[in-house]
């Protein structure tokens, strides 16, 4: 009996050695590559070439890479660009999507199902279809704003819209309908119901979409690379440039990569709870 | 569906009609709505175009960003306010009919402009020449099908499709199930660590794994994989150049799997926690082993979520680009459709061929799209 009680955890469930060993191995696999990058980013170029990062006692530690990449390489400027690109591109789509989601959830109208099915279908469409037509529309042949932030804001707003409407609508269907009915009977218009009831009640879903969109915009390479001029380019584009320069600048690459990850990781860790809830609410029925 | 009368605060029966449309048609509201909406669109349009045309006038990028956030949010709110005012000004019946469309119009318009119209335009361009000035019939498609690089890409895309979604789901299930058996604290830590790569960009992940796969000329190896491999007695390799059996493609798939398992795990984990304890208990009483319980009880109950995750990753894999572009740019037989498109459109300036490639990509996603819609319909029917 005593042997049996030894394999129970604090909450009374049996302790599974197999589960512990396997998860530890998987966790190591999932963290060691990132750890390698982090350690390498604090090493001098010579040290990184002479020793693997796991030889931590071989010396050659430095903060220079961060200094150089931030100040010398223009990473500081592109860091700002990333913020300037990501924040408006995250915030602007939300209201458009929220109104549409409200209509799809709480109003009945002819064509509702068909239109919503189109939105579901469009989520699958690869954004590559849009590049040539959008380059025409935003480039010199059209509005002439290609290269500026505005071009990227517009694109991310459009591309994020189907997912935004879909996630918000999925969440809103879980809200109690009686609340809306009683608001209606109270004489509230749809506009008032939306602002006073639905928006406050949908905050978790709004936050979840915002996090998802922020990560997506911040981490995006394609749109930023194609639609932003060199002055306005984001950290991800800058990082991709560093990756291309094989050999020289290798020590800056690791520091640059870490700088590019800092903000998403902070967002991610501080808001993880919302993010998880939103993901599960959006994709899992319920 | 409850049809019981809803009791309003105070217990009185409130009037059903809203205060806005008591008198039916209201010219003031109609006019106010139109003028207001037009002013907002005009003002915002000019402000945002000014960001594009005269960025230096705003002093700093931060000012532009703040103005964009404030302008965007306030502008959108005002726009809806005036649209709403206009619709409320309509006679009551018309107002009720128009209102839903007014609410979905801005969002739907953006989707139409940026996703639906481009689909048609791209199909159109795929029959045109390299700068979209004249139609060339099916020449682009003939060129593509005659290009060996295209077939290399197709094979790779198929491999990615076969491996990545299945592996992601499988590992996701393993982590979710095993983490569930850990202590609360252990589960939290394990999940956070596996989930963390969700925040990392494809380019960042490629940098991370580029270091792992790194090959040094000479004896000293600083790449983790080569270090392990040579420690085991192997010969150091330039891993990402090994195209035999598309080995390098598989190494790149590892990166995407590594990035996506966290997402799979989170969804699967919440599904597993939703499996009722009684069914598990019943199976245990019947003498089923943990292994049997997993396959016969847990898996069937989370099948829906498994399919959702599988499809989501599948869609992502169909468009896989960044990793291949950043690490190899399609060299050594690593090319994929999305990268081929990029090369044709931007390196070779072949808009026609590039469009044809996207059309093929579109055709490839169509079955998924059809499935997605069916799945959605089935789910709606259950609500």
């Amino acid at each position: 009996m005593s042997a049996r009680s030894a394999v129970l955890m604090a909450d009374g469930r049996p302790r599974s050695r197999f589960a512990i060993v396997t998860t530890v191995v998987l966790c190591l696999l999932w963290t060691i590559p990132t750890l390698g990058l982090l350690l390498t980013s604090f090493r001098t170029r010579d040290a990184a070439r002479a020793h693997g990062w796991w030889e931590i006692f071989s010396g050659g530690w430095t903060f220079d890479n961060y200094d150089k990449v931030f100040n010398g390489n223009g990473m500081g400027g592109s860091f700002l660009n990333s913020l300037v690109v990501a924040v408006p591109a995250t915030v602007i789509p939300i209201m458009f999507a929220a109104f549409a989601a409200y209509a799809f959830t709480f109003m009945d109208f002819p064509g509702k199902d068909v239109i919503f099915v189109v939105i579901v279908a469009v989520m699958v469409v690869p954004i590559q279809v849009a590049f040539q037509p959008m380059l025409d529309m935003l480039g010199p042949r059209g509005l002439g704003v290609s290269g500026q932030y505005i071009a990227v804001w517009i694109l991310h707003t459009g591309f994020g819209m189907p997912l935004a409407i879909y996630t918000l609508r999925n969440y809103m269907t879980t809200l109690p309908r009686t609340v809306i009915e009683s608001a209606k009977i109270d004489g509230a218009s749809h506009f008032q119901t939306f602002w006073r009831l639905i928006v406050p009640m949908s905050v978790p879903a709004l936050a979840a979409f915002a996090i998802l969109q922020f990560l997506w915009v911040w981490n995006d390479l394609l749109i930023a690379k194609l639609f932003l001029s060199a002055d306005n380019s984001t950290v991800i584009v800058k990082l991709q440039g560093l990756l291309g320069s094989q050999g020289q600048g290798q020590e800056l690459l690791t520091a640059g990569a870490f700088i590019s990850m800092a903000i998403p990781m902070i967002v991610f860790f501080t808001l993880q709870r919302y993010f998880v809830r939103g993901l599960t609410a959006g994709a899992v029925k319920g | 569906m409850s049809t019981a009368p809803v009791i309003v605060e105070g217990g009185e029966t409130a009037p059903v009609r809203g205060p806005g449309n008591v008198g039916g048609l209201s010219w003031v509201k109609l006019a106010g709505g139109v003028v207001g909406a037009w002013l907002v669109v005009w003002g915002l349009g000019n402000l945002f175009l000014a960001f594009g045309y005269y960025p230096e006038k705003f002093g700093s990028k931060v000012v532009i960003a703040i103005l964009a956030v404030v302008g965007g949010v306030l502008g959108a709110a005002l726009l809806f306010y005036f649209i709403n005012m206009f619709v409320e000004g309509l006679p009551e019946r018309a107002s009720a009919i128009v209102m839903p469309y007014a609410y979905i119009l801005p969002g739907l318009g953006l989707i139409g402009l940026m996703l639906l119209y481009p689909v048609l335009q791209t199909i159109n361009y795929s029959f045109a020449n390299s700068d979209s000035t004249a139609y060339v019939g099916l020449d682009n498609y003939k060129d593509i099908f005659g290009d060996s690089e295209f077939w290399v890409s197709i094979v790779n895309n198929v491999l990615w499709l076969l491996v990545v979604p299945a592996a992601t789901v499988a590992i996701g299930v393993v982590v979710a199930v095993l983490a569930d058996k850990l202590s609360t604290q252990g589960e939290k830590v394990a999940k956070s660590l596996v989930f963390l790569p969700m925040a990392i960009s494809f380019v960042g992940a490629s940098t991370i794994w580029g270091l792992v796969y790194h090959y040094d000329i000479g004896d000293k190896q600083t790449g983790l994989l080569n270090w392990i491999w040579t420690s085991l007695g192997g010969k150091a390799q330039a891993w990402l150049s090994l195209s035999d059996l598309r080995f390098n493609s598989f190494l790149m798939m590892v990166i995407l799997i590594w990035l996506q398992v966290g997402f799979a795990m989170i969804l699967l984990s919440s599904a597993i926690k939703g499996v009722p304890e009684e069914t598990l208990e019943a199976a245990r009483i019947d003498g089923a082993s943990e292994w049997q319980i997993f396959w016969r009880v847990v898996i069937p109950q989370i099948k829906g979520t498994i399919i959702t995750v599988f499809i989501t990753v599948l869609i992502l894999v169909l468009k896989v680009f960044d990793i291949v572009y950043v690490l190899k740019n399609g060299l050594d037989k690593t090319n994929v459709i999305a990268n081929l498109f990029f090369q044709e459109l931007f390196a070779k300036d072949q808009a026609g061929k590039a469009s044809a490639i996207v059309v093929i990509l579109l055709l490839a996603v169509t079955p998924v799209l059809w499935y997605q819609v069916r799945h959605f319909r089935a789910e709606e029917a259950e609500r």
Side-chain angles (χ1 to χ4, degrees):
Chain A
M1 280 316 263
S2 65
R4 196 173 159 75
S5 64
V7 294
L8 288 181
M9 293 186 296
D11 54 6
R13 288 178 300 154
R15 189 185 295 272
S16 158
R17 197 167 295 162
F18 174 72
I20 295 175
V21 172
T22 320
T23 28
V24 166
V25 169
L26 282 169
C27 286
L28 286 177
L29 274 174
W30 254 253
T31 38
I32 284 179
T34 319
L35 189 71
L37 179 87
L38 180 63
L39 289 176
T40 311
S41 72
F42 288 111
R43 311 189 74 189
T44 63
R45 184 186 166 138
D46 293 335
R49 277 181 148 186
H51 304 278
W53 56 262
W54 51 91
E55 299 172 66
I56 46 173
F57 299 113
S58 59
W61 299 100
T62 178
F63 284 102
D64 280 3
N65 300 335
Y66 283 90
D67 185 44
K68 263 192 243 166
V69 88
F70 219 80
N71 298 317
N73 216 282
M75 202 72 160
S78 60
F79 192 77
L80 185 65
N81 288 333
S82 276
L83 278 174
V84 174
V85 164
V87 174
T90 303
V91 177
I92 295 173
I94 292 177
M95 200 173 299
F96 293 112
F99 267 101
Y102 176 88
F104 281 119
T105 318
F106 300 113
M107 294 166 149
D108 283 312
F109 52 94
K112 174 170 145 174
D113 289 340
V114 177
I115 299 172
F116 201 75
V117 161
V118 169
I119 291 174
V120 172
V122 155
M123 286 198 296
V124 183
V125 170
I127 57 169
Q128 277 89 348
V129 294
F131 288 159
Q132 185 62 39
M134 284 297 122
L135 279 170
D136 288 346
M137 197 181 88
L138 299 171
R141 282 199 256 172
L143 281 174
V145 292
S146 185
Q148 302 296 337
Y149 302 122
I150 165 79
V152 180
W153 294 333
I154 294 179
L155 290 171
H156 281 301
T157 302
F159 295 153
M161 197 55 63
L163 183 71
I165 297 178
Y166 181 76
T167 334
L168 293 180
R169 183 250 179 209
N170 270 5
Y171 185 85
M172 285 181 190
T173 49
T174 65
L175 298 177
R177 264 196 111 96
T178 46
V179 177
I180 284 84
E181 301 288 330
S182 61
K184 209 176 181 182
I185 292 167
D186 266 343
S189 68
H190 279 297
F191 197 69
Q192 290 163 330
T193 313
F194 174 81
W195 281 112
R196 301 213 188 124
L197 284 174
I198 302 304
V199 170
M201 284 162 90
S202 304
V203 167
L206 297 173
F209 169 75
I211 299 163
L212 201 67
Q213 174 81 351
F214 181 85
L215 290 178
W216 157 251
V217 174
W218 182 283
N219 286 336
D220 157 73
L221 170 69
L222 256 179
I223 297 171
K225 190 175 168 65
L226 295 178
F227 290 90
L228 286 175
S229 61
D231 277 352
N232 297 337
S233 70
T234 61
V235 269
I236 299 295
V237 176
K238 207 85 178 173
L239 181 64
Q240 182 255 322
L242 282 174
L243 257 171
S245 62
Q246 292 291 331
Q248 54 173 323
Q250 277 290 315
E251 76 280 13
L252 302 184
L253 176 66
T254 51
F258 228 83
I259 289 171
S260 81
M261 290 177 212
I263 293 276
M265 284 201 184
I266 292 168
V267 167
F268 186 79
F269 269 120
T270 47
L271 302 169
Q272 195 177 0
R273 212 160 38 90
Y274 278 114
F275 186 51
V276 169
R277 209 193 295 168
L279 273 182
T280 42
V284 182
K285 189 175 61 109
Chain B
M1 272 306 205
S2 117
T3 46
V6 183
I7 309 221
V8 186
E9 267 175 305
E12 299 164 56
T13 25
V16 177
R17 94 180 10 183
N21 35 21
V22 177
L25 185 69
S26 156
W27 290 105
V28 180
K29 283 191 165 186
L30 284 180
V34 170
V35 172
W38 186 79
L39 275 177
V40 171
V41 171
W42 180 82
L44 271 190
N46 275 311
L47 177 69
F48 276 77
L49 280 181
F51 293 151
Y53 294 150
Y54 318 107
E56 66 287 345
K57 291 255 162 78
F58 292 91
S60 110
K61 291 171 174 179
V62 180
V63 176
I64 292 187
I66 292 169
L67 279 176
V69 170
V70 174
V73 172
L74 215 65
L78 280 173
L79 181 65
F80 278 106
Y81 178 80
F82 286 119
I83 290 178
N84 186 67
M85 181 191 275
F86 175 80
V87 178
E88 280 186 352
L90 291 170
E92 204 173 331
R93 281 185 70 111
S95 171
I97 295 170
V98 174
M99 189 75 82
Y101 299 105
Y103 282 8
I104 63 172
L105 188 69
L108 200 67
L110 282 165
I111 291 175
L113 179 69
M114 261 170 270
L115 287 159
L116 296 177
Y117 152 75
V119 168
L120 300 177
Q121 184 68 295
T122 297
I123 295 173
N124 181 21
Y125 283 158
S126 77
F127 299 109
N129 62 2
S130 61
D131 54 359
S132 318
T133 47
Y135 285 105
V136 293
L138 290 172
D139 283 6
N140 291 321
Y141 291 95
K142 283 185 199 144
D143 281 357
I144 292 169
F145 289 130
D147 182 359
S148 63
E149 194 67 9
F150 173 75
W151 296 106
V152 168
S153 309
I154 289 285
V155 170
N156 282 332
N157 265 99
V158 170
L159 286 175
W160 280 81
L161 284 175
L162 289 176
V163 174
V164 176
T168 306
V169 169
I171 301 174
V173 170
V174 169
V175 177
V177 168
L178 294 182
D180 197 42
K181 296 192 187 303
L182 300 179
S183 63
T184 321
Q185 202 56 35
E187 178 177 358
K188 221 175 132 190
V189 173
K191 279 181 168 177
S192 289
L193 289 178
V194 175
F195 199 33
L196 180 70
M198 275 292 291
I200 299 175
S201 62
F202 291 119
V203 183
S206 303
T207 316
I208 291 173
W209 284 87
L211 283 186
V212 174
Y213 297 148
H214 186 72
Y215 170 70
D216 297 272
I217 301 160
D219 291 338
K220 186 75 190 174
Q221 292 301 327
T222 58
L224 187 62
L225 186 59
N226 267 324
W227 179 60
I228 295 170
W229 185 242
T230 49
S231 307
L232 294 172
K235 194 167 157 292
Q237 302 282 350
W239 296 104
L240 290 177
S241 304
L242 299 178
S243 60
D244 288 351
L245 294 172
R246 305 289 163 91
F247 190 69
N248 44 10
S249 287
F250 285 102
L251 290 176
M252 290 189 211
M253 292 176 204
V254 170
I255 304 175
L256 191 57
I257 295 168
W258 184 78
L259 281 172
Q260 292 298 315
V261 162
F263 160 75
M265 180 264 307
I266 287 294
L267 292 193
L268 292 165
S269 174
S270 78
I272 287 169
K273 290 196 188 299
V275 175
E277 192 60 40
E278 301 88 69
T279 55
L280 300 178
E281 216 42 62
R284 277 191 199 111
I285 290 167
D286 286 347
S289 68
E290 286 299 312
W291 186 250
Q292 285 170 322
I293 291 175
F294 174 71
W295 283 107
R296 307 240 178 101
V297 182
V298 176
I299 292 287
Q301 297 218 36
I302 61 169
K303 214 171 113 197
T305 311
I306 290 182
I307 294 173
T308 308
V309 172
F310 189 90
I311 295 289
T312 311
V313 179
L314 188 84
I315 295 168
L316 187 79
V317 171
L318 270 168
K319 309 177 210 173
V320 65
F321 164 77
D322 302 40
I323 298 173
V324 177
Y325 171 69
V326 163
L327 284 175
K328 292 301 285 186
N329 195 12
L331 292 175
D332 293 322
K333 293 193 182 170
T334 55
N335 225 349
V336 287
I337 291 293
N339 192 55
L340 192 66
F341 158 80
F342 189 83
Q343 290 168 334
E344 289 292 344
L345 187 56
F346 299 104
K348 298 184 190 158
D349 261 331
Q350 294 287 330
K353 271 173 85 176
S355 300
I357 292 170
V358 180
V359 171
I360 291 164
L361 192 59
L362 266 177
L363 289 176
V365 299
T366 312
V368 186
L369 188 149
W370 180 76
Y371 177 83
Q372 182 93 333
V373 167
R374 241 188 44 159
H375 182 70
F376 167 74
R377 282 246 160 95
E379 227 168 55
E380 285 306 292
E382 269 179 47
R383 259 186 221 280

